[in-house]
Amino acid sequence: MNNIKKNNTIFQNPPHRMIIKIVLPVLVIIIAIITASYIQKTGPRPVKNPPEKKIPMVQAKAVYSSTKQVIIYAMGTVIPAKKLILTPRVSGEIVETHPDFLPGGYIAAK
């Protein structure tokens, strides 16, 4: 009989153990929240400085148009940025071209 009582008490939680299992985690969470809010409220505040006015360091000159020709002496190989193949949309032979037609030029629409 004595053995049966011991086995029953093993499976039963005494009231103080249940209180510890419930109250202790809640108490830890409450203490953590209070500590976090204390740290947040008493922490150092950043100093608000007005933004500095950034003045660009440039020199301005008066600009005028002229007919001065600039010659650049250079040497090297010219490499195109893109390689492309032009194909006509229609087939046939070119019989005549516009007098203003130049390679790389523009022809105004009439």
Side-chain angles (χ1 to χ4, degrees), residues 20-105:
I20 290 174
K21 283 185 176 182
I22 294 173
V23 173
L24 189 61
V26 172
L27 187 65
V28 168
I29 292 172
I30 290 172
I31 290 172
I33 291 172
I34 291 170
T35 304
S37 66
Y38 174 76
I39 290 172
Q40 187 177 12
K41 288 179 183 176
T42 61
R45 300 281 181 213
V47 179
K48 292 185 179 181
N49 293 332
E52 295 179 15
K53 290 185 179 181
K54 294 185 179 180
I55 302 170
M57 303 296 282
V58 296
Q59 294 179 352
K61 278 189 171 183
V63 179
Y64 57 92
S65 63
S66 70
T67 58
K68 182 177 180 182
Q69 184 178 8
V70 178
I71 300 173
I72 300 173
Y73 295 100
M75 190 169 130
T77 305
V78 177
I79 301 172
K82 293 182 181 178
K83 291 184 180 182
L84 57 103
I85 299 172
L86 291 176
T87 56
R89 292 187 180 178
V90 295
S91 62
E93 184 180 334
I94 299 174
V95 182
E96 182 181 7
T97 59
H98 193 276
D100 293 338
F101 181 72
L102 298 171

